[in-house]
Amino acid sequence: KNFLPQLHLALHDILVQQGPAVHKNISLLAPRALLASRNKLHTTRGALWCTRADIMRVLTSLLATTAAAWTVDKMNRPQGRVADPDGLLKNPDAIEDALARLATKHVEWPPNSPCATTNVDGVEAVVVVVTHLRGVHLKQEDDEKRRRAGEFARGLHDKWGVGSKKCSNGVLIVIDYGDRAFYLSTGDGVRAGGLLSDARATRALEASAPYLRSGAIDEGVLKTIKKVDAFLARGPPTWSEWLPAFVSHDFV
């Protein structure tokens, strides 16, 4: 007797928690009311008929989607510099090569960078590409997606210990392709002096956006890495680069 009400509530709870990322998997089970008729179910409109076995198949798919939502705890550090657990990249080796070049790149550290007083050179960068992050949903506001993706990226950055222990020269690029969210986490060594400031990190990520929208994930990731490389080569921001940020925050 209670099968349908319980099912209806369960689906509602999952939709609220998981959002649009799983909505497509249960669209056929979203009528306003479901009525039981022995082993058959139908909507009040009489437009849809499905068996309990149909519902279980849908729920199995739904649970699989939910289980695939990545969290910091679930992510294991790859042997290389690229984590692609969902197999979204076509040519991860090209991205590995680009990240390896960052690791050997000579960097003129700003005087206030922890790296300036060490013999550390280059930047240790890691890329993470997934279909879906737990707690991030396609239809969230951009600021909320950025906040949640940032929590994941910084948590993973700390868990994996990306960067030198001497001066924290690590960079972690996270792309949640399914929810159109990304974040670039930086260590103190590369963030100090504005070498990879929040504004520069945002611009590096935005370079990938047109490619990600068209499904060219590899190209998007490479564009972001190229932008990071260019900022490292340019050195700390000049006043002409800082000024727009000051104006936008009402500093002048």
Side-chain angles (χ1 to χ4, degrees), residues 27-212:
S27 58
L28 78 165
L29 291 175
R32 293 182 180 178
L34 291 172
L35 301 177
S37 177
R38 295 184 182 178
N39 197 41
K40 292 276 186 173
L41 306 177
H42 63 84
T43 70
T44 53
R45 298 175 183 175
L48 174 68
W49 287 76
C50 59
T51 66
R52 295 189 183 204
D54 293 329
I55 292 177
M56 293 310 299
R57 281 194 293 270
V58 173
L59 289 178
T60 299
S61 174
L62 173 63
L63 291 173
T65 302
T66 303
W70 290 98
T71 64
V72 171
D73 291 339
K74 288 183 180 180
M75 292 292 300
N76 295 317
R77 184 164 186 173
Q79 291 184 344
R81 297 181 174 92
V82 178
D84 178 26
D86 298 326
L88 297 174
L89 298 173
K90 295 179 180 178
N91 188 8
D93 289 343
I95 296 172
E96 289 275 6
D97 291 343
L99 295 173
R101 288 192 290 273
L102 284 183
T104 58
K105 183 181 183 66
H106 174 65
V107 179
E108 291 288 346
W109 301 110
N112 59 338
S113 168
C115 298
T117 57
T118 71
N119 59 355
V120 172
D121 210 1
V123 168
E124 182 182 339
V126 175
V127 166
V128 178
V129 181
V130 297
T131 302
H132 177 53
L133 293 176
R134 179 67 58 82
V136 181
H137 305 143
L138 181 62
K139 292 186 178 180
Q140 284 174 333
E141 295 293 331
D142 288 345
D143 287 347
E144 180 65 10
K145 283 198 287 187
R146 189 179 301 112
R147 183 183 71 80
R148 290 176 179 264
E151 289 176 351
F152 173 87
R154 291 189 297 271
L156 198 61
H157 195 147
D158 292 341
K159 175 186 174 182
W160 287 356
V162 179
S164 168
K165 292 182 179 179
K166 292 181 179 180
C167 70
S168 189
N169 66 332
V171 171
L172 182 72
I173 301 168
V174 172
I175 294 178
D176 175 349
Y177 178 66
D179 301 306
R180 299 181 185 178
F182 44 34
Y183 194 87
L184 195 156
S185 173
T186 55
D188 291 341
V190 291
R191 190 168 55 251
L195 196 60
L196 274 182
S197 62
D198 290 345
R200 283 185 167 187
T202 298
R203 289 170 61 188
L205 289 170
E206 288 175 346
S208 70
Y211 300 90
L212 297 177

